[in-house]
Amino acid sequence: MINETVVDLSRLQFAATALYHFLFVPLTLGLSWLLVIMEAAYVMSGKEIYKDMTRFWGKLYGINFALGVTTGITMEFQFGTNWAYYSHYVGDIFGAPLAIEGLMAFFLESTMVGLFFFGWNRLSKAGHLTVTTLMALGTNLSAVLILIANGWMQNPVGSAFNPVTMRMELTDFAALVFNPVAQSKFVHTVSAGYVTGSLFVLGISSWYLLKGQHVEFARRSFRIAAAFGLAGTASVIVLGDESGYSVGEAQHSKLAAIEAMWETEPAPAGFNLIAIPNEARQANDFELRIPYVLGLIATRSTTEVIPGIKEIREKNRQRIESGIQAAIALEGMRKNPQDEAARAAFMAHEKDLGYGLLVKKYVEDPRQATPEIIHKAAMDSVPRIAPLFWSFRVMVGLGVAMLALMVVAFWHSVKGSFQDKPWLLKWALYSIPMPWIAIEAGWLVAEYGRQPWTVFGVLPTHLSASSLSVESLWGSIAGFVGFYSLLLVAEMYLMFKYARLGPSVLHAKTA
Amino acid sequence: MFDYATLKLIWWLLVGVLLIGFAIMDGHDMGVGTLLPFLGKDDTDRRVMINSVAPHWDGNQVWFITAGGAVFAAWPLVYATAFSGLYWALLLVLFALFFRPVGFEYRSKLPNPAWRKGWDWGLFAGSAVPALVFGVAFGNLFQGVPFDLDDSMRSSYSGSFWALLNPFALLCGVVSLSLLTLQGATFLSHRVEGPLQRRTILAARVCGVVLLVSFSLAGMWVARMEGYVLESIPDVRGVLTPLMKEVGRAPGGWFANFNNFPQLWIIPVLAYAGVGVVLASIGSGWTLLSFVASSVACVSVILTAGVALFPFVLPSSAHPAVSLTLWDSTSSELTLKVMLWAALIFTPIVVAYTSWAYRVMAGKITRDYIAANDKQLY
């Protein structure tokens, strides 16, 4: 049996390293395009101030980028170190976008970032702008490929189980690339990065304006950030809705958990604005509902029914029973490849194999799965409600708050009246942490909401982990969190120091 | 286009190409990092060294990242078994590598000497530790790694971290460390001048000699070691798992490929020739020739190890029959095909823009250049 503590600690380590990585990536995604816009303004207008803007925000970009690279190295190898069975079971599909990410995107980004910093005096204006653009392109291509890989975990298309090699194998590469979940996740995620970059520039520029420093520099930065930020926020919300639509199609359990919707109700279902979910009773102790809204968002129809948690668990219980037959037949086929009866039974139940594996959390041999065990596995098949319900609402609430800020900031930036509005500048300044909180909450919704699966409906999380010792895991978690935290302190220190120094640092003799 | 067996063989070569790309490209900036505390006599010298690789180290490191991704995509079982088994060895490499992005980027952002010195040692660790551990890992491949596979392909590892650091593996670590440091020293001698260049030349000579001695000793050791021999395997054009073959062990087994195909001896000979050319040319001002010759040594040393191990990729000392080979641990035919297309399209593009980046940034890095661009440089 797989040690449950090892599985839990492996999940904790993955969550910690991924959440750390994602403190830095969104800012890189957004700032890179802002740098392109600023530098394009420099090349077209010839005004030095735009070059200063590109270089100063580029310095902050670099301080952030370094930790993005540092924490990113871990992600490329952690599937092997801590999720070995996952890597074997789905590497045939999941490894490809990761390797292509390296070849196609990460090389481009990392080569161009060097020329971005050191090529100012060696490249023509247009040449340097091209480098900056390729750098931003590389960063965003990276996100495409990572989200293709992640989209497959959410909605495993274009693949089939091979009983000889005991793993999932690729059957249709185009289906993997054009997975609708990956597409909407990509735009939603990079747009969240654009909002992060915009709010970062907007907030720091506001601070300069409040202090009356670098006024011309800050005014121009503010305007660019407000425009780009408004577009980004609108895109996050529209594509968030699109994600909601694909989540609804691919993963009813995630949607039902996000909404704390225990019972299936007549279409279109209502939306719980606030609820206090009670797992033991399988009901909400309190709820504040808006009728019809959820059904319209998730199904885009007035007639399609969204299944509630209880109905999903009941359906999953049936799939688990069918999947157990698949697992038993698979063992028969492995013992005797000529066993035609086992092959026929496997073919009949193959699509539920993943569900059958859910009982392996409780028994090694699926034959010994009692009705109680099957019931427990069915209960596991929907993630815990409260964390999902609340992190989703934090994400959406912050998204709406940022949209309001961006609308107002853009309005006043068009009117040219923002620099004498301290309330607006303070609002922007104190909103700087918002996108990070929203993004981390969004990660939780997407990945915690996928539980109990690493690959939805295919491979349970508890089977995916490496066979490591509890001591090793505590050691590595302490190592990662300790090391990353120290580096984060150094990063924040430099970030604050350079933000305070402002653009004058570009021309000063000593810092 | 190709049958499955040919695809498997091509992917063995492509993983080799990525490792070689890593050794040549990331190898030279790791070599510079390893030499940093020893050759840089003052802060300016160290900044000269750092800035000789500053625009390129990040792109170069992607050879390492991509090699990891390619092993995942082409050999999922190798990726899973090796990295979970050698857990602490890989984590040691990762933790060391963490120092590099921040070391380069943050070091010169503050004038405080203690801050800068701290990051210099960080850059040293981030360069020397991985360079050493890669050789140690190869050394353990020759000895076999204690892992087993059950019939669902779940791997379990029964060794310890400390057992990896045995004398033979450490000798292989000396080979890889001196190889990559030589690569760094020849690169530096091309990019710097004056007293720093003279110290660099001395370092290249020392590394060259250490490499020749350690490589020869490792070869003699391998000749007497029990190698792994593939005794039977089903048709390699088919869909295989590592549980279908028989593997034996024989003294000198790792030399079997060289003995069966004597023309392969040209590969280790080229390693000696490469280092020989470095030693002959390093003081003469033909700095680019020295770097190319050192790169030839990188290619030959890695190929020598790969050819000796062929077709094994991860031999198992606990249960030799489940050793992972390039024939039975690969991805499906479709994945190998898709990945081959990706490699054929993107690798030339990567090589093209990387070369362009080096051309843009070409030329000697001098102390005056550092002083004149204090705020712009690392």
Side-chain angles (χ1 to χ4, degrees):
Chain A
M1 290 288 282
I2 297 147
N3 183 330
E4 279 303 309
T5 314
V6 168
V7 177
D8 290 344
L9 291 177
S10 303
R11 286 179 62 194
L12 180 65
Q13 179 171 310
F14 196 92
T17 51
L19 287 172
Y20 256 108
H21 183 49
F22 225 64
L23 288 176
F24 311 105
V25 174
L27 185 57
T28 306
L29 283 167
L31 261 186
S32 63
W33 285 124
L34 284 163
L35 295 175
V36 171
I37 296 169
M38 290 168 186
E39 192 172 349
Y42 166 60
V43 171
M44 283 187 289
S45 72
K47 287 185 180 145
E48 282 294 315
I49 189 162
Y50 286 112
K51 185 180 180 188
D52 279 359
M53 280 161 64
T54 316
R55 290 188 48 197
F56 173 71
W57 296 113
K59 257 199 193 314
L60 301 190
Y61 174 88
I63 293 169
N64 171 72
F65 186 81
L67 270 193
V69 174
T70 297
T71 52
I73 301 169
T74 306
M75 302 313 290
E76 188 83 13
F77 294 91
Q78 198 174 200
F79 298 102
T81 52
N82 291 78
W83 300 95
Y85 199 66
Y86 169 90
S87 302
H88 152 69
Y89 205 83
V90 302
D92 195 75
I93 304 129
F94 188 84
L98 247 60
I100 296 174
E101 190 244 350
L103 270 175
M104 184 177 162
F106 198 34
F107 262 122
L108 186 65
E109 176 189 15
S110 304
T111 307
M112 295 305 157
V113 82
L115 290 179
F116 172 79
F117 286 120
F118 301 104
W120 284 106
N121 301 327
R122 295 177 183 245
L123 291 160
S124 67
K125 277 186 185 177
H128 195 278
L129 176 60
T130 309
V131 161
T132 312
T133 312
L134 289 173
M135 174 178 85
L137 189 69
T139 309
N140 283 263
L141 277 176
S142 263
V144 177
L145 287 149
I146 293 305
L147 289 164
I148 286 174
N150 181 267
W152 185 79
M153 298 168 78
Q154 310 282 352
N155 180 33
V157 291
S159 53
F161 184 75
N162 182 340
V164 176
T165 50
M166 279 298 291
R167 67 182 181 198
M168 296 296 290
E169 293 185 353
L170 186 65
T171 54
D172 184 347
F173 184 65
L176 174 69
V177 173
F178 298 108
N179 185 348
V181 172
Q183 303 293 316
S184 57
K185 272 195 118 183
F186 162 65
V187 186
H188 182 61
T189 308
V190 293
S191 303
Y194 302 163
V195 176
T196 312
S198 303
L199 240 174
F200 181 81
V201 172
L202 196 74
I204 295 175
S205 302
S206 296
W207 188 68
Y208 296 146
L209 291 171
L210 281 167
K211 302 211 100 181
Q213 295 170 344
H214 323 297
V215 171
E216 196 47 36
F217 178 97
R219 272 171 45 88
R220 288 174 197 266
S221 300
F222 187 101
R223 287 188 142 162
I224 291 174
F228 192 61
L230 180 61
T233 321
S235 164
V236 172
I237 291 173
V238 170
L239 264 299
D241 169 58
E242 182 70 31
S243 287
Y245 182 56
S246 2
V247 164
E249 285 199 316
Q251 293 177 32
H252 286 132
S253 52
K254 184 189 282 182
L255 180 67
I258 285 172
E259 297 309 337
M261 191 173 89
W262 301 93
E263 311 286 346
T264 309
E265 44 183 289
F271 175 80
N272 282 330
L273 192 63
I274 299 175
I276 302 176
N278 183 327
E279 298 269 353
R281 282 204 308 128
Q282 297 208 64
N284 293 329
D285 290 339
F286 169 81
E287 54 189 31
L288 181 63
R289 295 176 73 76
I290 311 175
Y292 309 136
V293 171
L294 176 61
L296 297 175
I297 292 175
T299 67
R300 296 194 186 156
S301 86
T302 52
T303 53
E304 209 176 309
V305 174
I306 305 171
I309 295 166
K310 286 182 178 173
E311 183 185 335
I312 292 169
R313 282 179 168 154
E314 174 52 27
K315 274 193 189 144
N316 288 347
R317 192 185 56 75
Q318 293 164 17
R319 295 197 71 177
I320 291 166
E321 284 170 351
S322 159
I324 288 173
Q325 298 307 313
I328 293 170
L330 181 61
E331 257 175 50
M333 282 163 67
R334 279 219 305 280
K335 289 208 175 81
N336 175 13
Q338 266 68 51
D339 186 343
E340 288 305 322
R343 184 168 302 271
F346 180 73
M347 301 279 270
H349 297 283
E350 185 181 352
K351 64 173 184 13
D352 295 323
L353 176 64
Y355 286 84
L357 298 177
L358 283 175
V359 300
K360 288 207 168 202
K361 186 170 175 186
Y362 304 104
V363 276
E364 190 62 45
D365 179 1
R367 278 182 205 82
Q368 287 161 10
T370 58
E372 290 76 54
I373 285 175
I374 293 172
H375 174 73
K376 270 204 262 183
M379 294 299 283
D380 290 347
S381 69
V382 175
R384 271 179 36 228
I385 313 302
L388 272 175
F389 183 88
W390 289 111
S391 49
F392 180 77
R393 274 148 191 79
V394 166
M395 174 182 82
V396 173
L398 289 171
V400 172
M402 286 185 274
L403 179 67
L405 169 63
M406 288 298 178
V407 168
V408 175
F410 182 70
W411 171 251
H412 285 288
S413 121
V414 171
K415 288 209 312 183
S417 56
F418 57 91
Q419 68 267 39
D420 44 5
K421 302 250 174 329
W423 58 269
L424 173 59
L425 302 175
K426 278 185 190 153
W427 184 12
L429 175 63
Y430 293 121
S431 296
I432 290 180
M434 275 193 184
W436 276 274
I437 300 169
I439 280 167
E440 303 274 298
W443 183 88
L444 201 77
V445 170
E447 312 307 327
Y448 187 83
R450 197 189 57 236
Q451 298 305 322
W453 307 98
T454 42
V455 179
F456 192 85
V458 169
L459 184 66
T461 305
H462 70 93
L463 283 183
S464 307
S466 301
S467 317
L468 293 165
S469 70
V470 173
E471 295 75 37
S472 277
L473 273 158
W474 276 121
S476 56
I477 289 173
F480 278 116
V481 173
F483 206 144
Y484 281 2
S485 300
L486 284 177
L487 293 180
L488 181 66
V489 170
E491 195 251 17
M492 297 284 278
Y493 176 77
L494 283 179
M495 199 61 110
F496 274 97
K497 181 179 169 72
Y498 273 79
R500 285 210 178 92
L501 285 170
S504 54
V505 73
L506 299 172
H507 307 289
K509 269 278 157 243
T510 50
Chain B
M1 183 172 56
F2 297 112
D3 69 1
Y4 195 14
T6 314
L7 279 169
K8 292 175 185 178
L9 196 57
I10 289 173
W11 269 99
W12 179 81
L13 281 169
L14 284 178
V15 171
V17 166
L18 286 168
L19 284 180
I20 288 167
F22 159 78
I24 292 176
M25 302 305 292
D26 213 14
H28 76 250
D29 56 55
M30 285 189 166
V32 171
T34 304
L35 294 170
L36 183 64
F38 309 109
L39 300 190
K41 295 291 179 204
D42 61 10
D43 184 60
T44 310
D45 264 0
R46 288 193 286 272
R47 290 189 73 181
V48 166
M49 295 175 73
I50 288 170
N51 280 287
S52 73
V53 293
H56 310 297
W57 76 269
D58 192 13
N60 293 341
Q61 181 157 289
V62 182
W63 286 96
F64 175 66
I65 308 286
T66 302
V71 170
F72 196 176
W75 296 339
L77 257 180
V78 176
Y79 176 85
T81 310
F83 295 168
S84 62
L86 310 179
Y87 190 68
W88 280 105
L90 194 83
L91 255 46
L92 181 64
V93 170
L94 295 185
F95 284 5
L97 287 176
F98 291 168
F99 282 114
R100 279 159 52 88
V102 274
F104 281 113
E105 176 67 31
Y106 293 176
R107 180 200 181 277
S108 302
K109 287 238 164 359
L110 296 180
N112 182 335
W115 168 271
R116 291 188 172 188
K117 212 174 181 92
W119 286 117
D120 288 343
W121 283 105
L123 285 171
F124 167 76
S127 305
V129 170
L132 182 79
V133 174
F134 292 137
V136 170
F138 261 94
N140 279 283
L141 293 187
F142 279 94
Q143 296 166 312
V145 174
F147 76 89
D148 204 351
L149 286 179
D150 71 10
D151 68 347
S152 71
M153 305 297 153
R154 181 179 294 277
S155 66
S156 51
Y157 178 76
S158 52
S160 75
F161 170 71
W162 301 108
L164 301 174
L165 305 177
N166 56 72
F168 173 72
L170 288 172
L171 175 63
C172 294
V174 174
V175 174
S176 63
L177 181 60
S178 57
L179 180 69
L180 300 192
T181 312
L182 177 68
Q183 188 70 355
T186 53
F187 177 79
L188 258 188
S189 75
H190 183 58
R191 296 298 299 276
V192 303
E193 56 182 22
L196 178 59
Q197 191 190 35
R198 282 197 289 282
R199 293 197 293 274
T200 306
I201 289 168
L202 177 65
R205 288 190 171 130
V206 172
C207 291
V209 171
V210 172
L211 175 59
L212 285 181
V213 172
S214 57
F215 184 63
S216 309
L217 284 175
M220 286 189 265
W221 200 320
V222 169
R224 303 149 63 99
M225 187 184 275
E226 276 215 317
Y228 287 66
V229 183
L230 191 57
E231 288 175 343
S232 76
I233 189 165
D235 187 346
V236 295
R237 284 168 299 186
V239 175
L240 304 181
T241 77
L243 308 179
M244 299 174 172
K245 63 180 177 304
E246 288 169 55
V247 172
R249 302 198 61 169
W254 291 132
F255 273 42
N257 290 327
F258 291 104
N259 294 334
N260 295 339
F261 303 94
Q263 56 273 41
L264 289 174
W265 284 109
I266 187 78
I267 296 169
V269 168
L270 272 176
Y272 286 96
V275 182
V277 172
V278 172
L279 293 177
S281 64
I282 188 73
S284 69
W286 292 58
T287 48
L288 192 58
L289 175 67
S290 307
F291 179 70
V292 171
S294 169
S295 303
V296 169
C298 288
V299 177
S300 325
V301 168
I302 291 171
L303 267 185
T304 302
V307 166
L309 291 166
F310 185 95
F312 291 92
V313 177
L314 189 67
S316 166
S317 58
H319 189 178
V322 305
S323 295
L324 308 185
T325 73
L326 69 103
W327 304 120
D328 58 14
S329 306
T330 59
S331 283
S332 65
E333 189 167 356
L334 177 60
T335 297
L336 292 188
K337 254 185 209 160
V338 168
M339 293 298 302
L340 177 58
W341 278 110
L344 288 178
I345 294 168
F346 290 110
T347 314
I349 299 176
V350 168
V351 171
Y353 61 63
T354 304
S355 323
W356 176 69
Y358 272 87
R359 259 208 314 285
V360 169
M361 301 307 301
K364 298 272 184 195
I365 308 286
T366 62
R367 294 173 68 93
D368 295 342
Y369 176 70
I370 300 291
N373 298 280
D374 181 41
K375 288 281 160 278
Q376 276 82 57
L377 295 173
Y378 280 168

